[in-house]
Each structure stands twice: as C-alpha cells, then as structure tokens.
Coordinates of all heavy atoms in Angstrom, one line a residue:
R30 N 7.5 8.6 8.7 CA 7.6 9.9 9.2 C 8.2 10.9 8.2 O 7.8 12.1 8.1 CB 8.5 10.0 10.5 CG 7.8 9.3 11.7 CD 8.4 9.8 13.0 NE 9.7 9.3 13.2 CZ 10.8 10.1 13.5 NH1 10.7 11.4 13.6 NH2 12.0 9.5 13.7
V31 N 9.2 10.4 7.5 CA 9.8 11.1 6.4 C 8.8 11.5 5.4 O 8.7 12.7 4.9 CB 11.0 10.4 5.7 CG1 11.5 11.1 4.4 CG2 12.1 10.2 6.7
F32 N 7.9 10.5 5.0 CA 6.9 10.7 3.9 C 5.9 11.7 4.4 O 5.4 12.5 3.7 CB 6.4 9.4 3.5 CG 7.3 8.4 3.0 CD1 7.1 7.1 3.2 CD2 8.5 8.8 2.3 CE1 8.0 6.1 2.6 CE2 9.4 7.9 1.8 CZ 9.2 6.6 2.0
K33 N 5.5 11.6 5.7 CA 4.6 12.5 6.2 C 5.1 13.9 6.2 O 4.3 14.9 5.9 CB 4.2 12.2 7.7 CG 3.1 13.0 8.3 CD 2.8 12.5 9.7 CE 1.7 13.4 10.3 NZ 1.3 12.9 11.6
H34 N 6.4 14.1 6.5 CA 7.0 15.4 6.4 C 7.0 16.0 5.0 O 6.8 17.2 4.7 CB 8.5 15.3 6.8 CG 9.3 16.6 6.7 ND1 9.2 17.6 7.6 CD2 10.0 17.0 5.7 CE1 10.0 18.5 7.2 NE2 10.5 18.2 6.0
A35 N 7.1 15.0 4.0 CA 7.1 15.5 2.6 C 5.7 15.8 2.1 O 5.5 16.5 1.0 CB 7.7 14.3 1.7
G36 N 4.6 15.2 2.7 CA 3.3 15.6 2.4 C 2.4 14.6 1.6 O 1.3 14.8 1.4
M37 N 3.1 13.4 1.3 CA 2.3 12.4 0.6 C 2.7 11.0 1.2 O 3.9 10.7 1.3 CB 2.5 12.4 -0.9 CG 1.8 11.2 -1.6 SD 2.1 11.3 -3.4 CE 0.8 12.5 -3.9
S38 N 1.8 10.3 1.5 CA 2.0 8.9 2.1 C 2.7 8.0 1.1 O 2.5 8.2 -0.1 CB 0.8 8.3 2.7 OG -0.1 7.9 1.7
Y39 N 3.3 7.0 1.6 CA 3.9 6.0 0.6 C 2.8 5.3 -0.2 O 2.9 4.8 -1.3 CB 4.8 5.0 1.4 CG 5.6 4.1 0.4 CD1 6.4 4.6 -0.5 CD2 5.5 2.7 0.6 CE1 7.2 3.8 -1.3 CE2 6.2 1.9 -0.3 CZ 7.0 2.4 -1.2 OH 7.8 1.5 -2.0
K40 N 1.7 5.0 0.5 CA 0.5 4.3 -0.1 C 0.1 5.1 -1.3 O -0.2 4.6 -2.5 CB -0.6 4.2 0.9 CG -1.9 3.5 0.3 CD -3.0 3.5 1.3 CE -3.6 4.9 1.4 NZ -4.8 4.9 2.3
H41 N 0.0 6.4 -1.2 CA -0.5 7.3 -2.3 C 0.6 7.3 -3.4 O 0.3 7.4 -4.6 CB -0.7 8.7 -1.8 CG -2.0 8.8 -0.9 ND1 -2.0 9.7 0.1 CD2 -3.1 8.0 -0.9 CE1 -3.2 9.5 0.8 NE2 -3.8 8.5 0.1
M42 N 1.9 7.3 -3.0 CA 2.9 7.3 -4.1 C 2.8 6.0 -4.9 O 3.1 6.1 -6.1 CB 4.3 7.4 -3.4 CG 5.5 7.5 -4.4 SD 5.4 8.8 -5.6 CE 5.5 10.3 -4.5
R43 N 2.5 4.9 -4.2 CA 2.4 3.7 -5.0 C 1.2 3.8 -6.0 O 1.3 3.2 -7.1 CB 2.2 2.5 -4.0 CG 3.4 2.1 -3.2 CD 3.2 1.0 -2.2 NE 2.8 -0.2 -2.8 CZ 3.7 -1.2 -3.1 NH1 5.0 -0.9 -2.8 NH2 3.4 -2.3 -3.7
Q44 N 0.2 4.5 -5.6 CA -0.9 4.6 -6.5 C -0.5 5.5 -7.7 O -1.0 5.2 -8.8 CB -2.1 5.4 -5.7 CG -2.8 4.4 -4.7 CD -4.0 5.1 -4.1 OE1 -3.8 6.0 -3.2 NE2 -5.2 4.8 -4.5
M45 N 0.3 6.5 -7.4 CA 0.8 7.3 -8.5 C 1.6 6.5 -9.5 O 1.6 6.7 -10.8 CB 1.6 8.5 -8.0 CG 0.8 9.5 -7.2 SD -0.6 10.2 -8.1 CE 0.2 10.9 -9.5
M46 N 2.5 5.6 -9.0 CA 3.3 4.8 -9.8 C 2.5 3.9 -10.6 O 2.8 3.5 -11.8 CB 4.3 4.0 -8.9 CG 5.5 5.0 -8.3 SD 6.4 5.6 -9.7 CE 7.6 6.6 -8.7
I47 N 1.4 3.3 -10.0 CA 0.5 2.4 -10.7 C -0.1 3.2 -12.0 O -0.2 2.7 -13.1 CB -0.6 1.8 -9.8 CG1 0.0 0.9 -8.9 CG2 -1.7 1.2 -10.6 CD1 -0.9 0.4 -7.8
Y48 N -0.5 4.5 -11.7 CA -1.1 5.2 -12.7 C -0.1 5.5 -13.9 O -0.4 5.5 -15.0 CB -1.5 6.6 -12.1 CG -2.0 7.6 -13.2 CD1 -3.1 7.4 -13.9 CD2 -1.1 8.7 -13.4 CE1 -3.4 8.4 -14.9 CE2 -1.5 9.7 -14.5 CZ -2.6 9.4 -15.2 OH -3.0 10.3 -16.2
M49 N 1.2 5.8 -13.5 CA 2.2 6.0 -14.5 C 2.7 4.8 -15.3 O 2.8 4.9 -16.5 CB 3.4 6.7 -13.8 CG 3.2 8.1 -13.4 SD 4.8 8.9 -12.8 CE 5.8 8.8 -14.3
N50 N 2.8 3.7 -14.6 CA 3.5 2.6 -15.2 C 2.6 1.3 -15.3 O 3.0 0.3 -15.8 CB 4.7 2.2 -14.4 CG 5.7 3.3 -14.2 OD1 6.0 4.0 -15.1 ND2 6.1 3.6 -12.9
G51 N 1.4 1.4 -14.8 CA 0.5 0.2 -14.9 C 0.7 -0.7 -13.6 O -0.2 -1.5 -13.3
N52 N 1.8 -0.5 -12.9 CA 2.1 -1.2 -11.7 C 3.1 -0.4 -10.8 O 3.8 0.4 -11.4 CB 2.6 -2.7 -11.9 CG 3.9 -2.7 -12.6 OD1 5.0 -2.4 -12.1 ND2 3.8 -2.9 -14.0
S53 N 3.1 -0.7 -9.5 CA 4.0 0.0 -8.6 C 5.4 -0.6 -8.6 O 6.3 0.0 -8.1 CB 3.4 0.1 -7.2 OG 3.3 -1.2 -6.7
G54 N 5.5 -1.8 -9.0 CA 6.8 -2.5 -9.1 C 7.2 -3.1 -7.7 O 6.5 -2.8 -6.7
H55 N 8.2 -3.9 -7.7 CA 8.6 -4.6 -6.5 C 9.3 -3.6 -5.6 O 9.3 -3.8 -4.3 CB 9.5 -5.8 -6.8 CG 9.8 -6.7 -5.7 ND1 8.7 -7.4 -5.1 CD2 10.9 -7.2 -5.2 CE1 9.2 -8.2 -4.2 NE2 10.5 -8.1 -4.2
N56 N 10.0 -2.6 -6.1 CA 10.8 -1.7 -5.3 C 10.4 -0.3 -5.7 O 11.1 0.5 -6.2 CB 12.3 -1.8 -5.6 CG 12.8 -3.2 -5.4 OD1 12.7 -4.1 -6.2 ND2 13.3 -3.5 -4.1
C57 N 9.1 0.0 -5.3 CA 8.5 1.3 -5.7 C 9.3 2.5 -5.0 O 9.4 2.5 -3.8 CB 7.1 1.4 -5.3 SG 6.2 2.9 -5.7
P58 N 9.9 3.4 -5.8 CA 10.5 4.5 -5.2 C 9.5 5.6 -4.7 O 8.3 5.5 -5.0 CB 11.3 5.1 -6.3 CG 10.5 4.8 -7.6 CD 9.9 3.4 -7.3
Y59 N 10.0 6.5 -3.9 CA 9.2 7.7 -3.5 C 9.8 8.9 -3.9 O 11.0 9.2 -3.7 CB 9.1 7.7 -1.9 CG 8.3 8.8 -1.4 CD1 6.9 8.6 -1.0 CD2 8.7 10.1 -1.2 CE1 6.2 9.5 -0.5 CE2 7.9 11.1 -0.7 CZ 6.7 10.8 -0.3 OH 5.8 11.8 0.2
V60 N 9.1 9.7 -4.8 CA 9.6 11.0 -5.3 C 8.6 12.1 -5.1 O 7.5 12.1 -5.8 CB 9.9 10.8 -6.8 CG1 10.5 12.1 -7.4 CG2 10.9 9.6 -7.1
Q61 N 8.9 13.0 -4.3 CA 8.1 14.2 -4.1 C 9.1 15.4 -4.1 O 9.5 15.9 -3.1 CB 7.4 14.1 -2.8 CG 6.5 15.3 -2.4 CD 5.2 15.3 -3.1 OE1 5.1 14.9 -4.3 NE2 4.1 15.7 -2.5
G62 N 9.4 15.8 -5.3 CA 10.4 16.9 -5.4 C 11.8 16.4 -5.0 O 12.2 15.4 -5.5
K63 N 12.4 17.1 -4.1 CA 13.7 16.8 -3.6 C 13.7 15.6 -2.7 O 14.7 15.1 -2.4 CB 14.3 18.0 -2.9 CG 14.8 19.1 -3.9 CD 15.6 20.2 -3.0 CE 16.8 19.6 -2.4 NZ 17.6 20.7 -1.7
V64 N 12.5 15.3 -2.2 CA 12.4 14.1 -1.2 C 12.3 12.9 -2.1 O 11.2 12.6 -2.6 CB 11.2 14.3 -0.3 CG1 11.1 13.1 0.7 CG2 11.3 15.6 0.5
A65 N 13.3 12.2 -2.3 CA 13.3 11.1 -3.3 C 14.1 9.9 -2.7 O 15.3 10.1 -2.4 CB 13.9 11.5 -4.6
F66 N 13.5 8.8 -2.4 CA 14.1 7.7 -1.8 C 13.7 6.4 -2.6 O 12.6 6.4 -3.1 CB 13.7 7.5 -0.3 CG 14.2 8.5 0.6 CD1 13.5 9.7 0.8 CD2 15.4 8.3 1.3 CE1 14.1 10.7 1.7 CE2 16.0 9.2 2.1 CZ 15.3 10.5 2.4
M67 N 14.6 5.5 -2.6 CA 14.3 4.2 -3.2 C 14.8 3.1 -2.3 O 15.8 3.0 -1.7 CB 15.1 4.1 -4.5 CG 14.8 2.8 -5.3 SD 15.5 2.8 -7.0 CE 17.2 2.5 -6.6

C-alpha cells in the first residue's frame, strides 16, 4: 500500500535495481524520491 501511494510497485523497483546493478540483491531497497525503505 505504501508503494502504491508512492507510484511504483515493488516489482518494478526490483527491475530498476536489476538494470542498475545487474541483480536486485537479497535485500532490494525501495527508493522513489523521499519514499525510501529498506
């Protein structure tokens, strides 16, 4: 629900992390501006 409020799903954030780092990692964080959780 928090991620929906921020505008991007966690699934999509994991895809972004894969694009940046080659993998999403075991503890993929969520960063959408000020909405940042790990």
